Amino acid sequence: MCPKYQVFSLVTLLCLIDFSVYLACLIIGGVESSSLLAVPNETLILMGAKVPWAMRYDHEWWRFITPVFLHKNLVHLLENLAALLIVGSVLEFDLGT
């Protein structure tokens, strides 16, 4: 699946951050839907989801970056982690860290 995957790499660090943020969202906000382990929308907004009015009028500039690490449910997280591992490991091997 990932022939060029390296255990100690930037891709691994990003995957760990993604998973940790998802767990933090579940711990803080609980589970909205037991079938997909969905995080409530209020929790995502609290954790830094993209809210245009807050970005523009409240000058919450970090909301440009934090949505990258937020995931609504377990399927969303696993799909993004798989894509990150496949594409990221090849790019990191070819281009370097």
Side-chain angles (χ1 to χ4, degrees):
M1 187 161 125
C2 300
K4 299 176 182 180
Y5 177 71
Q6 300 170 351
V7 176
F8 301 106
S9 66
L10 181 62
V11 171
T12 304
L13 178 65
L14 289 174
C15 287
L16 288 174
I17 291 171
D18 275 349
F19 188 74
S20 300
V21 169
Y22 177 71
L23 282 179
C25 287
L26 284 179
I27 291 169
I28 291 171
V31 177
E32 185 177 87
S33 169
S34 60
S35 62
L36 296 174
L37 291 175
V39 177
N41 290 335
E42 297 81 20
T43 305
L44 293 174
I45 292 171
L46 176 70
M47 297 291 286
K50 184 177 176 185
V51 180
W53 59 265
M55 294 164 69
R56 182 172 182 168
Y57 299 113
D58 294 339
H59 306 290
E60 296 180 0
W61 53 268
W62 60 87
R63 291 186 186 270
F64 283 105
I65 299 168
T66 53
V68 174
F69 299 104
L70 296 174
H71 298 87
K72 178 66 177 169
N73 57 42
L74 186 61
V75 174
H76 180 203
L77 174 69
L78 294 177
E79 288 173 346
N80 285 354
L81 289 179
L84 178 61
L85 283 172
I86 293 169
V87 175
S89 60
V90 172
L91 283 175
E92 189 172 32
F93 182 79
D94 291 343
L95 302 176
T97 301

